[in-house]
Amino acid sequence: MDYLTGKTNKEDLDISDILEGDYEGKEVIVNGAIHKIRDMGDVAFVILRKREGLVQTVYEDGVTGISLKELQEEATVEVKGVVAKEERAPHGFEVRLREVKVLSRPTEAMPIAINKWKMNTSLETKLDLRPLSLRNVKERAKFRIQEGIIRGFRDFLHEQGFTEIHSPKIGARGAEGGANLFRLEYFHKHAVLAQSPQFYKQMMVGVFDRVFEAAPVFRAEKHNTKRHLNEYTSLDFEMGYIDSFQDIMEMETGFLQYTMELLQKEYEKELKLLDVKLPKVDEIPQVRFDEAKELVAEKYDRPIRNPYDLDPEEETLIGQYFKEEMDADFVFVTHYPSRKRPFYAMDDPANPAVTLSFDLLFHGLEITTGGQRIHDYQTLVDKIEDRGMTQEGMEQYMLIFKHGMPPHGGLGIGLERLTMKLLGEENVRETTLFPRDLSRLEP
Amino acid sequence: MDYLTGKTNKEDLDISDILEGDYEGKEVIVNGAIHKIRDMGDVAFVILRKREGLVQTVYEDGVTGISLKELQEEATVEVKGVVAKEERAPHGFEVRLREVKVLSRPTEAMPIAINKWKMNTSLETKLDLRPLSLRNVKERAKFRIQEGIIRGFRDFLHEQGFTEIHSPKIGARGAEGGANLFRLEYFHKHAVLAQSPQFYKQMMVGVFDRVFEAAPVFRAEKHNTKRHLNEYTSLDFEMGYIDSFQDIMEMETGFLQYTMELLQKEYEKELKLLDVKLPKVDEIPQVRFDEAKELVAEKYDRPIRNPYDLDPEEETLIGQYFKEEMDADFVFVTHYPSRKRPFYAMDDPANPAVTLSFDLLFHGLEITTGGQRIHDYQTLVDKIEDRGMTQEGMEQYMLIFKHGMPPHGGLGIGLERLTMKLLGEENVRETTLFPRDLSRLEP
């Protein structure tokens, strides 16, 4: 009988193995995709692409036991060679090739120059050829940063006593109702895709006090803008026993601080590659919704058109204002009008026309919506009635308030938007692996 | 201007704070839901439920600054009191109440006895009242264990150089095709929900060499069994530059070893509460599909009915065989017949009727399917043709093979099934927060 023991005796080395070990002058085995071949005559530089970066290998006629003609870009190989210091090579070393084993070969030449430092390709083409364009080292670096953000989110909240949950994405109705629901047939019943895990995370506050979820959400919105997606990854948390909705904003600030530190520490290479300067998160100003409106109207000489909502241009100007006035990258805008917030938002006892809620703007773009929720059963019943809504289909949600819920609140962060602003991108599709929008359902 | 600094000066303590600090005889603030009240006359035990467990607080007439009548089960409270050693209380301490602030009150009595140690309630009722039944400490403990498994999965793979990805759940077509796709309308186009991230994780192997995803998948299967769900959380990984499909099984074994250690270390309380004995993962036997069939047929005197597939009973018997014969909790069954595996599975060069694939059985239940994939373009084209399939709609998937893919493979693990077997549960719904099945779309 053969057994698996969880141990492998793979001999191939990664870039970090070579950098951390003492391999100069020694023979190593390295695998990777041939990213680029620069043929100099008797010698050729064969650049390998590995998950940790690029490795320069050197082909020499008569020394390397294969003909250079056998090698092509995007072939995958396992090579044997000797490590040598080389200041001009990536990571300061190169591998002088002795043997090359070709593992696989492409059948066609690349339709886009993914091995150029910066691809000169439209976003449309990049997205059409997404599985290939992502092989470009700058393109893929964006998604390493994205991984860092989500790791930061989970690890920080775990430290803070939050439990991770997995709520269903198919349901009988949406949390917010409305027109932006994708509908499907579910064994002869009508079903919808979840717009947010809102109801479920509130239910779970009654169970675990503090919960989070990082999962896809679906919005059938017909917006075709640079900041909208019809499917995105939402970073959600919900916490009980809050003293006020300030606790939620402090928790988000803590998450941002933790995450920027994590990125600085573990994703330095990618930050450098993409020339990213991390934003200031040591302190984040907060401003009331109506005050923000006035500040911007005054400074930029712009009349207030709609007192109940912020239009995208207004958000941009608020971002600009706080950058100019106090060098702030982020700003919390608080106390949004009740009529623009969902029924479960808690109204401000001091002024029921506004809610104990907030948006977080990052360089003028909303990346988070959050706030305190109503936890008292009768208050919720009254608000549903006031809005002319019905409790139908929400019975199980209402149940948690009937049976006791602590004061609580939470938020949702758009992962792709946060990544986009962090990287200084202009279109959220740049920081979405395989975006879904009005016209794009593939790849 | 007010600023958020990520710091809070909350005064309330958690159970671990009290256990780790020196609080005996000192006054503390604790919040929680009133789980149970045991009225003994002049004294009452008011048990609080917190995320870390139960806390015994003691109400005394004349000492506690509130009337006991003011307190109800499932009210949420913030209490002030003095910590005292008490061997018979949970965690070995109690809090003698001075002040109680009621934060919220239930409006109705609980329809199920969630504060009983073991709820005497049918699965159906538990699921109908899921937001409430999960407040039971044994019920919720299952999902802490589930959190531990997914943490183990991510943390282990991260250590092994895997990058986390987020692939879209809405797409133009499914990875496996077939009848079990949920269909929806996507802005006047036909779309489906992802059965698995298969194509995307393979695409991403060309980008990051090693990737993983832990996300929902959707299967419109009309199975109404104890082990099927129509939406579940799939733990997927895919790795390039493998020497053989043994590498994938070794990686999974490593994940299981890492995770059992994590559970032992950080989820000991929950394991004890649920009386779970962790399975043996130091070495896991592997057996060929046809051999497993024969072993079981012989030992249990059971004729082989279908040589191409394992029926559930056969899986159970294989599990039983390996438990009895070598005290193994897990067994890898390898070399499944090609005709029962998807087109992208790599056939065994030594016998093309079988594939370089495997299932992992845990106490006789399949919790993982995996294997090596075809990486050569022409081989894939031929296999698609042999099967009478078309490449239509798979153009972008085929692209990655045209442009070079390393030898690779991967697997998918059903999180809820793994949790179920680990906890010795008989129905996968027991270990699914909000299950979706043929008849259940709510809560």
Side-chain angles (χ1 to χ4, degrees), chain A residues 6 10 104 107 154 164 169-170 231 241 250 402-403 405 436, chain B residues 6 10 104 107 135 154 164 169-170 231 241 250 402 405 436:
Chain A
K10 299 264 298 177
S104 70
T107 59
R154 291 202 200 99
E164 181 173 9
K169 303 309 157 203
I170 301 181
E231 174 178 350
Y241 300 98
E250 292 291 9
K402 264 188 207 166
H403 297 287
M405 279 292 286
R436 292 291 175 261
Chain B
K10 299 263 299 178
S104 70
T107 61
R135 295 184 185 180
R154 292 201 198 99
E164 182 174 7
K169 303 308 158 205
I170 301 180
E231 173 178 351
Y241 300 98
E250 291 292 9
K402 264 188 207 167
M405 279 293 285
R436 293 292 176 256

PDB file of all heavy atoms in Angstrom, chain A residues 6 10 104 107 154 164 169-170 231 241 250 402-403 405 436, chain B residues 6 10 104 107 135 154 164 169-170 231 241 250 402 405 436:
ATOM      1  N   GLY A   6       2.193  14.056   2.842  1.00  0.00           N
ATOM      2  CA  GLY A   6       2.221  15.515   2.857  1.00  0.00           C
ATOM      3  C   GLY A   6       3.605  16.089   2.593  1.00  0.00           C
ATOM      4  O   GLY A   6       3.793  17.300   2.647  1.00  0.00           O
ATOM      5  N   LYS A  10      10.467  17.736  -4.032  1.00  0.00           N
ATOM      6  CA  LYS A  10      10.693  18.539  -5.237  1.00  0.00           C
ATOM      7  C   LYS A  10      12.046  19.227  -5.110  1.00  0.00           C
ATOM      8  O   LYS A  10      12.404  19.751  -4.063  1.00  0.00           O
ATOM      9  CB  LYS A  10       9.605  19.603  -5.379  1.00  0.00           C
ATOM     10  CG  LYS A  10       8.194  19.077  -5.514  1.00  0.00           C
ATOM     11  CD  LYS A  10       7.682  18.958  -6.928  1.00  0.00           C
ATOM     12  CE  LYS A  10       7.600  20.251  -7.708  1.00  0.00           C
ATOM     13  NZ  LYS A  10       7.161  19.976  -9.091  1.00  0.00           N
ATOM     14  N   SER A 104       6.235  22.073 -22.073  1.00  0.00           N
ATOM     15  CA  SER A 104       5.115  22.273 -22.999  1.00  0.00           C
ATOM     16  C   SER A 104       5.476  23.394 -23.958  1.00  0.00           C
ATOM     17  O   SER A 104       6.328  24.230 -23.660  1.00  0.00           O
ATOM     18  CB  SER A 104       3.831  22.628 -22.234  1.00  0.00           C
ATOM     19  OG  SER A 104       3.924  23.932 -21.687  1.00  0.00           O
ATOM     20  N   THR A 107       1.354  26.727 -29.409  1.00  0.00           N
ATOM     21  CA  THR A 107       1.164  26.370 -30.825  1.00  0.00           C
ATOM     22  C   THR A 107       1.061  27.616 -31.697  1.00  0.00           C
ATOM     23  O   THR A 107       1.084  27.518 -32.911  1.00  0.00           O
ATOM     24  CB  THR A 107      -0.122  25.538 -31.005  1.00  0.00           C
ATOM     25  OG1 THR A 107      -1.223  26.313 -30.548  1.00  0.00           O
ATOM     26  CG2 THR A 107      -0.042  24.243 -30.214  1.00  0.00           C
ATOM     27  N   ARG A 154      -9.377  39.941   6.406  1.00  0.00           N
ATOM     28  CA  ARG A 154      -9.676  38.747   7.201  1.00  0.00           C
ATOM     29  C   ARG A 154      -8.820  38.657   8.454  1.00  0.00           C
ATOM     30  O   ARG A 154      -9.317  38.365   9.542  1.00  0.00           O
ATOM     31  CB  ARG A 154      -9.427  37.503   6.362  1.00  0.00           C
ATOM     32  CG  ARG A 154     -10.398  37.321   5.234  1.00  0.00           C
ATOM     33  CD  ARG A 154     -10.420  35.862   4.815  1.00  0.00           C
ATOM     34  NE  ARG A 154     -10.961  35.700   3.486  1.00  0.00           N
ATOM     35  CZ  ARG A 154     -10.228  35.548   2.400  1.00  0.00           C
ATOM     36  NH1 ARG A 154      -8.902  35.524   2.475  1.00  0.00           N
ATOM     37  NH2 ARG A 154     -10.806  35.422   1.225  1.00  0.00           N
ATOM     38  N   GLU A 164     -15.823  34.256  10.590  1.00  0.00           N
ATOM     39  CA  GLU A 164     -16.131  34.278   9.160  1.00  0.00           C
ATOM     40  C   GLU A 164     -17.371  33.443   8.861  1.00  0.00           C
ATOM     41  O   GLU A 164     -17.513  32.340   9.372  1.00  0.00           O
ATOM     42  CB  GLU A 164     -14.946  33.719   8.374  1.00  0.00           C
ATOM     43  CG  GLU A 164     -15.196  33.734   6.883  1.00  0.00           C
ATOM     44  CD  GLU A 164     -13.982  33.342   6.072  1.00  0.00           C
ATOM     45  OE1 GLU A 164     -12.984  32.897   6.667  1.00  0.00           O
ATOM     46  OE2 GLU A 164     -14.047  33.469   4.837  1.00  0.00           O
ATOM     47  N   LYS A 169     -25.949  32.683  -1.760  1.00  0.00           N
ATOM     48  CA  LYS A 169     -26.036  33.702  -2.815  1.00  0.00           C
ATOM     49  C   LYS A 169     -27.330  33.587  -3.602  1.00  0.00           C
ATOM     50  O   LYS A 169     -27.715  34.507  -4.317  1.00  0.00           O
ATOM     51  CB  LYS A 169     -24.833  33.576  -3.752  1.00  0.00           C
ATOM     52  CG  LYS A 169     -23.481  33.700  -3.034  1.00  0.00           C
ATOM     53  CD  LYS A 169     -23.423  34.945  -2.159  1.00  0.00           C
ATOM     54  CE  LYS A 169     -22.392  34.795  -1.045  1.00  0.00           C
ATOM     55  NZ  LYS A 169     -22.698  35.701   0.089  1.00  0.00           N
ATOM     56  N   ILE A 170     -27.984  32.449  -3.496  1.00  0.00           N
ATOM     57  CA  ILE A 170     -29.316  32.300  -4.079  1.00  0.00           C
ATOM     58  C   ILE A 170     -30.318  32.432  -2.941  1.00  0.00           C
ATOM     59  O   ILE A 170     -30.141  31.822  -1.885  1.00  0.00           O
ATOM     60  CB  ILE A 170     -29.506  30.917  -4.744  1.00  0.00           C
ATOM     61  CG1 ILE A 170     -28.471  30.710  -5.847  1.00  0.00           C
ATOM     62  CG2 ILE A 170     -30.913  30.782  -5.313  1.00  0.00           C
ATOM     63  CD1 ILE A 170     -28.604  29.364  -6.570  1.00  0.00           C
ATOM     64  N   GLU A 231     -21.077  42.201 -10.977  1.00  0.00           N
ATOM     65  CA  GLU A 231     -20.697  41.209  -9.977  1.00  0.00           C
ATOM     66  C   GLU A 231     -19.397  41.696  -9.365  1.00  0.00           C
ATOM     67  O   GLU A 231     -18.461  42.045 -10.099  1.00  0.00           O
ATOM     68  CB  GLU A 231     -20.485  39.834 -10.634  1.00  0.00           C
ATOM     69  CG  GLU A 231     -19.938  38.805  -9.661  1.00  0.00           C
ATOM     70  CD  GLU A 231     -19.747  37.408 -10.261  1.00  0.00           C
ATOM     71  OE1 GLU A 231     -20.205  37.156 -11.395  1.00  0.00           O
ATOM     72  OE2 GLU A 231     -19.129  36.579  -9.576  1.00  0.00           O
ATOM     73  N   TYR A 241     -23.061  45.037  19.925  1.00  0.00           N
ATOM     74  CA  TYR A 241     -22.628  45.709  21.146  1.00  0.00           C
ATOM     75  C   TYR A 241     -21.793  46.951  20.856  1.00  0.00           C
ATOM     76  O   TYR A 241     -20.788  47.201  21.513  1.00  0.00           O
ATOM     77  CB  TYR A 241     -21.886  44.720  22.066  1.00  0.00           C
ATOM     78  CG  TYR A 241     -22.780  43.569  22.453  1.00  0.00           C
ATOM     79  CD1 TYR A 241     -22.708  42.357  21.779  1.00  0.00           C
ATOM     80  CD2 TYR A 241     -23.737  43.725  23.447  1.00  0.00           C
ATOM     81  CE1 TYR A 241     -23.571  41.313  22.098  1.00  0.00           C
ATOM     82  CE2 TYR A 241     -24.604  42.686  23.766  1.00  0.00           C
ATOM     83  CZ  TYR A 241     -24.506  41.487  23.086  1.00  0.00           C
ATOM     84  OH  TYR A 241     -25.361  40.473  23.394  1.00  0.00           O
ATOM     85  N   GLU A 250     -14.252  53.265  13.305  1.00  0.00           N
ATOM     86  CA  GLU A 250     -12.942  52.984  13.917  1.00  0.00           C
ATOM     87  C   GLU A 250     -12.439  51.613  13.473  1.00  0.00           C
ATOM     88  O   GLU A 250     -11.250  51.434  13.209  1.00  0.00           O
ATOM     89  CB  GLU A 250     -13.027  53.027  15.452  1.00  0.00           C
ATOM     90  CG  GLU A 250     -13.290  54.401  16.063  1.00  0.00           C
ATOM     91  CD  GLU A 250     -12.126  55.388  15.914  1.00  0.00           C
ATOM     92  OE1 GLU A 250     -11.145  55.117  15.188  1.00  0.00           O
ATOM     93  OE2 GLU A 250     -12.222  56.491  16.521  1.00  0.00           O
ATOM     94  N   LYS A 402     -37.493  40.191  17.005  1.00  0.00           N
ATOM     95  CA  LYS A 402     -38.467  39.712  17.979  1.00  0.00           C
ATOM     96  C   LYS A 402     -37.786  39.039  19.149  1.00  0.00           C
ATOM     97  O   LYS A 402     -38.251  39.088  20.275  1.00  0.00           O
ATOM     98  CB  LYS A 402     -39.387  38.676  17.317  1.00  0.00           C
ATOM     99  CG  LYS A 402     -40.673  39.216  16.807  1.00  0.00           C
ATOM    100  CD  LYS A 402     -41.557  38.050  16.363  1.00  0.00           C
ATOM    101  CE  LYS A 402     -42.496  38.533  15.281  1.00  0.00           C
ATOM    102  NZ  LYS A 402     -43.147  37.428  14.578  1.00  0.00           N
ATOM    103  N   HIS A 403     -36.690  38.348  18.849  1.00  0.00           N
ATOM    104  CA  HIS A 403     -36.043  37.534  19.869  1.00  0.00           C
ATOM    105  C   HIS A 403     -34.724  38.119  20.352  1.00  0.00           C
ATOM    106  O   HIS A 403     -33.840  37.401  20.792  1.00  0.00           O
ATOM    107  CB  HIS A 403     -35.883  36.103  19.358  1.00  0.00           C
ATOM    108  CG  HIS A 403     -37.198  35.449  19.107  1.00  0.00           C
ATOM    109  ND1 HIS A 403     -38.023  35.040  20.136  1.00  0.00           N
ATOM    110  CD2 HIS A 403     -37.877  35.202  17.957  1.00  0.00           C
ATOM    111  CE1 HIS A 403     -39.139  34.554  19.622  1.00  0.00           C
ATOM    112  NE2 HIS A 403     -39.082  34.644  18.311  1.00  0.00           N
ATOM    113  N   MET A 405     -31.904  41.474  19.680  1.00  0.00           N
ATOM    114  CA  MET A 405     -30.667  41.766  18.953  1.00  0.00           C
ATOM    115  C   MET A 405     -29.944  42.890  19.676  1.00  0.00           C
ATOM    116  O   MET A 405     -30.560  43.861  20.098  1.00  0.00           O
ATOM    117  CB  MET A 405     -30.991  42.239  17.536  1.00  0.00           C
ATOM    118  CG  MET A 405     -31.295  41.114  16.573  1.00  0.00           C
ATOM    119  SD  MET A 405     -29.846  40.080  16.217  1.00  0.00           S
ATOM    120  CE  MET A 405     -28.909  41.170  15.152  1.00  0.00           C
ATOM    121  N   ARG A 436     -17.599  41.510 -15.005  1.00  0.00           N
ATOM    122  CA  ARG A 436     -18.936  41.308 -15.546  1.00  0.00           C
ATOM    123  C   ARG A 436     -19.621  42.654 -15.593  1.00  0.00           C
ATOM    124  O   ARG A 436     -19.810  43.299 -14.549  1.00  0.00           O
ATOM    125  CB  ARG A 436     -19.727  40.377 -14.623  1.00  0.00           C
ATOM    126  CG  ARG A 436     -19.210  38.953 -14.608  1.00  0.00           C
ATOM    127  CD  ARG A 436     -19.465  38.274 -15.934  1.00  0.00           C
ATOM    128  NE  ARG A 436     -18.906  36.946 -16.031  1.00  0.00           N
ATOM    129  CZ  ARG A 436     -17.746  36.656 -16.646  1.00  0.00           C
ATOM    130  NH1 ARG A 436     -17.008  37.601 -17.197  1.00  0.00           N
ATOM    131  NH2 ARG A 436     -17.335  35.413 -16.729  1.00  0.00           N
TER     132      ARG A 436
ATOM    133  N   GLY B   6      -8.635  54.616  14.492  1.00  0.00           N
ATOM    134  CA  GLY B   6      -8.534  53.155  14.576  1.00  0.00           C
ATOM    135  C   GLY B   6      -8.427  52.644  15.998  1.00  0.00           C
ATOM    136  O   GLY B   6      -8.263  51.461  16.224  1.00  0.00           O
ATOM    137  N   LYS B  10     -13.074  51.073  24.349  1.00  0.00           N
ATOM    138  CA  LYS B  10     -14.150  50.250  24.894  1.00  0.00           C
ATOM    139  C   LYS B  10     -13.660  49.632  26.200  1.00  0.00           C
ATOM    140  O   LYS B  10     -12.532  49.153  26.305  1.00  0.00           O
ATOM    141  CB  LYS B  10     -14.500  49.124  23.922  1.00  0.00           C
ATOM    142  CG  LYS B  10     -14.981  49.582  22.575  1.00  0.00           C
ATOM    143  CD  LYS B  10     -16.473  49.628  22.414  1.00  0.00           C
ATOM    144  CE  LYS B  10     -17.164  48.301  22.588  1.00  0.00           C
ATOM    145  NZ  LYS B  10     -18.639  48.487  22.448  1.00  0.00           N
ATOM    146  N   SER B 104     -31.329  45.802  24.855  1.00  0.00           N
ATOM    147  CA  SER B 104     -32.491  45.501  24.005  1.00  0.00           C
ATOM    148  C   SER B 104     -33.268  44.369  24.639  1.00  0.00           C
ATOM    149  O   SER B 104     -32.731  43.598  25.433  1.00  0.00           O
ATOM    150  CB  SER B 104     -32.053  45.108  22.590  1.00  0.00           C
ATOM    151  OG  SER B 104     -31.427  43.839  22.601  1.00  0.00           O
ATOM    152  N   THR B 107     -39.385  40.600  22.147  1.00  0.00           N
ATOM    153  CA  THR B 107     -40.819  40.883  22.289  1.00  0.00           C
ATOM    154  C   THR B 107     -41.618  39.600  22.447  1.00  0.00           C
ATOM    155  O   THR B 107     -42.802  39.651  22.758  1.00  0.00           O
ATOM    156  CB  THR B 107     -41.349  41.650  21.060  1.00  0.00           C
ATOM    157  OG1 THR B 107     -41.160  40.836  19.904  1.00  0.00           O
ATOM    158  CG2 THR B 107     -40.617  42.958  20.887  1.00  0.00           C
ATOM    159  N   ARG B 135     -28.173  30.166  17.672  1.00  0.00           N
ATOM    160  CA  ARG B 135     -27.744  30.770  18.940  1.00  0.00           C
ATOM    161  C   ARG B 135     -27.401  29.697  19.981  1.00  0.00           C
ATOM    162  O   ARG B 135     -26.744  29.995  20.969  1.00  0.00           O
ATOM    163  CB  ARG B 135     -28.832  31.717  19.474  1.00  0.00           C
ATOM    164  CG  ARG B 135     -29.065  32.925  18.575  1.00  0.00           C
ATOM    165  CD  ARG B 135     -30.081  33.897  19.184  1.00  0.00           C
ATOM    166  NE  ARG B 135     -30.387  34.987  18.244  1.00  0.00           N
ATOM    167  CZ  ARG B 135     -31.230  35.978  18.490  1.00  0.00           C
ATOM    168  NH1 ARG B 135     -31.879  36.026  19.647  1.00  0.00           N
ATOM    169  NH2 ARG B 135     -31.442  36.924  17.588  1.00  0.00           N
ATOM    170  N   ARG B 154      -6.591  28.342   3.493  1.00  0.00           N
ATOM    171  CA  ARG B 154      -5.961  29.545   2.957  1.00  0.00           C
ATOM    172  C   ARG B 154      -4.547  29.736   3.473  1.00  0.00           C
ATOM    173  O   ARG B 154      -3.631  30.045   2.720  1.00  0.00           O
ATOM    174  CB  ARG B 154      -6.780  30.779   3.354  1.00  0.00           C
ATOM    175  CG  ARG B 154      -8.122  30.860   2.703  1.00  0.00           C
ATOM    176  CD  ARG B 154      -8.603  32.306   2.736  1.00  0.00           C
ATOM    177  NE  ARG B 154     -10.028  32.377   2.510  1.00  0.00           N
ATOM    178  CZ  ARG B 154     -10.932  32.502   3.472  1.00  0.00           C
ATOM    179  NH1 ARG B 154     -10.566  32.574   4.749  1.00  0.00           N
ATOM    180  NH2 ARG B 154     -12.205  32.566   3.178  1.00  0.00           N
ATOM    181  N   GLU B 164      -4.414  33.840  -4.017  1.00  0.00           N
ATOM    182  CA  GLU B 164      -5.876  33.738  -3.957  1.00  0.00           C
ATOM    183  C   GLU B 164      -6.513  34.487  -5.125  1.00  0.00           C
ATOM    184  O   GLU B 164      -6.110  35.607  -5.437  1.00  0.00           O
ATOM    185  CB  GLU B 164      -6.381  34.337  -2.638  1.00  0.00           C
ATOM    186  CG  GLU B 164      -7.889  34.217  -2.516  1.00  0.00           C
ATOM    187  CD  GLU B 164      -8.401  34.666  -1.153  1.00  0.00           C
ATOM    188  OE1 GLU B 164      -7.600  35.188  -0.350  1.00  0.00           O
ATOM    189  OE2 GLU B 164      -9.602  34.506  -0.906  1.00  0.00           O
ATOM    190  N   LYS B 169     -18.932  34.347 -10.861  1.00  0.00           N
ATOM    191  CA  LYS B 169     -19.910  33.287 -10.641  1.00  0.00           C
ATOM    192  C   LYS B 169     -21.000  33.306 -11.705  1.00  0.00           C
ATOM    193  O   LYS B 169     -21.738  32.345 -11.863  1.00  0.00           O
ATOM    194  CB  LYS B 169     -20.538  33.423  -9.248  1.00  0.00           C
ATOM    195  CG  LYS B 169     -19.510  33.411  -8.119  1.00  0.00           C
ATOM    196  CD  LYS B 169     -18.568  32.228  -8.210  1.00  0.00           C
ATOM    197  CE  LYS B 169     -17.261  32.457  -7.470  1.00  0.00           C
ATOM    198  NZ  LYS B 169     -16.180  31.607  -8.038  1.00  0.00           N
ATOM    199  N   ILE B 170     -21.113  34.416 -12.412  1.00  0.00           N
ATOM    200  CA  ILE B 170     -22.007  34.471 -13.562  1.00  0.00           C
ATOM    201  C   ILE B 170     -21.150  34.332 -14.811  1.00  0.00           C
ATOM    202  O   ILE B 170     -20.115  34.992 -14.932  1.00  0.00           O
ATOM    203  CB  ILE B 170     -22.780  35.811 -13.631  1.00  0.00           C
ATOM    204  CG1 ILE B 170     -23.613  36.015 -12.358  1.00  0.00           C
ATOM    205  CG2 ILE B 170     -23.688  35.847 -14.857  1.00  0.00           C
ATOM    206  CD1 ILE B 170     -24.399  37.322 -12.356  1.00  0.00           C
ATOM    207  N   GLU B 231     -26.181  24.735  -3.479  1.00  0.00           N
ATOM    208  CA  GLU B 231     -25.160  25.787  -3.403  1.00  0.00           C
ATOM    209  C   GLU B 231     -24.231  25.388  -2.273  1.00  0.00           C
ATOM    210  O   GLU B 231     -24.707  25.065  -1.182  1.00  0.00           O
ATOM    211  CB  GLU B 231     -25.814  27.146  -3.102  1.00  0.00           C
ATOM    212  CG  GLU B 231     -24.787  28.238  -2.843  1.00  0.00           C
ATOM    213  CD  GLU B 231     -25.398  29.610  -2.587  1.00  0.00           C
ATOM    214  OE1 GLU B 231     -26.619  29.792  -2.765  1.00  0.00           O
ATOM    215  OE2 GLU B 231     -24.628  30.503  -2.192  1.00  0.00           O
ATOM    216  N   TYR B 241       3.432  23.063 -12.865  1.00  0.00           N
ATOM    217  CA  TYR B 241       4.761  22.468 -12.726  1.00  0.00           C
ATOM    218  C   TYR B 241       4.747  21.264 -11.790  1.00  0.00           C
ATOM    219  O   TYR B 241       5.647  21.079 -10.974  1.00  0.00           O
ATOM    220  CB  TYR B 241       5.773  23.520 -12.277  1.00  0.00           C
ATOM    221  CG  TYR B 241       5.869  24.641 -13.280  1.00  0.00           C
ATOM    222  CD1 TYR B 241       5.161  25.831 -13.092  1.00  0.00           C
ATOM    223  CD2 TYR B 241       6.608  24.488 -14.450  1.00  0.00           C
ATOM    224  CE1 TYR B 241       5.201  26.839 -14.043  1.00  0.00           C
ATOM    225  CE2 TYR B 241       6.648  25.496 -15.409  1.00  0.00           C
ATOM    226  CZ  TYR B 241       5.950  26.661 -15.201  1.00  0.00           C
ATOM    227  OH  TYR B 241       5.977  27.642 -16.144  1.00  0.00           O
ATOM    228  N   GLU B 250      -0.392  15.041  -2.374  1.00  0.00           N
ATOM    229  CA  GLU B 250       0.505  15.412  -1.272  1.00  0.00           C
ATOM    230  C   GLU B 250       0.121  16.786  -0.728  1.00  0.00           C
ATOM    231  O   GLU B 250       0.145  17.027   0.484  1.00  0.00           O
ATOM    232  CB  GLU B 250       1.971  15.435  -1.732  1.00  0.00           C
ATOM    233  CG  GLU B 250       2.571  14.068  -2.061  1.00  0.00           C
ATOM    234  CD  GLU B 250       2.763  13.134  -0.860  1.00  0.00           C
ATOM    235  OE1 GLU B 250       2.288  13.455   0.253  1.00  0.00           O
ATOM    236  OE2 GLU B 250       3.366  12.063  -1.058  1.00  0.00           O
ATOM    237  N   LYS B 402      -3.178  27.024 -26.336  1.00  0.00           N
ATOM    238  CA  LYS B 402      -2.481  27.485 -27.539  1.00  0.00           C
ATOM    239  C   LYS B 402      -1.222  28.245 -27.181  1.00  0.00           C
ATOM    240  O   LYS B 402      -0.241  28.219 -27.915  1.00  0.00           O
ATOM    241  CB  LYS B 402      -3.401  28.449 -28.306  1.00  0.00           C
ATOM    242  CG  LYS B 402      -4.190  27.821 -29.421  1.00  0.00           C
ATOM    243  CD  LYS B 402      -4.888  28.915 -30.215  1.00  0.00           C
ATOM    244  CE  LYS B 402      -6.136  28.345 -30.844  1.00  0.00           C
ATOM    245  NZ  LYS B 402      -7.025  29.381 -31.366  1.00  0.00           N
ATOM    246  N   MET B 405       0.872  26.147 -21.533  1.00  0.00           N
ATOM    247  CA  MET B 405       0.482  25.892 -20.140  1.00  0.00           C
ATOM    248  C   MET B 405       1.420  24.842 -19.571  1.00  0.00           C
ATOM    249  O   MET B 405       1.719  23.860 -20.239  1.00  0.00           O
ATOM    250  CB  MET B 405      -0.955  25.356 -20.093  1.00  0.00           C
ATOM    251  CG  MET B 405      -2.018  26.417 -20.190  1.00  0.00           C
ATOM    252  SD  MET B 405      -2.050  27.505 -18.749  1.00  0.00           S
ATOM    253  CE  MET B 405      -2.814  26.442 -17.526  1.00  0.00           C
ATOM    254  N   ARG B 436     -29.259  25.425   0.845  1.00  0.00           N
ATOM    255  CA  ARG B 436     -30.122  25.526  -0.323  1.00  0.00           C
ATOM    256  C   ARG B 436     -30.266  24.142  -0.916  1.00  0.00           C
ATOM    257  O   ARG B 436     -29.269  23.545  -1.322  1.00  0.00           O
ATOM    258  CB  ARG B 436     -29.485  26.465  -1.363  1.00  0.00           C
ATOM    259  CG  ARG B 436     -29.411  27.916  -0.928  1.00  0.00           C
ATOM    260  CD  ARG B 436     -30.803  28.511  -0.836  1.00  0.00           C
ATOM    261  NE  ARG B 436     -30.801  29.877  -0.343  1.00  0.00           N
ATOM    262  CZ  ARG B 436     -31.155  30.213   0.906  1.00  0.00           C
ATOM    263  NH1 ARG B 436     -31.496  29.290   1.795  1.00  0.00           N
ATOM    264  NH2 ARG B 436     -31.166  31.472   1.278  1.00  0.00           N
TER     265      ARG B 436
END
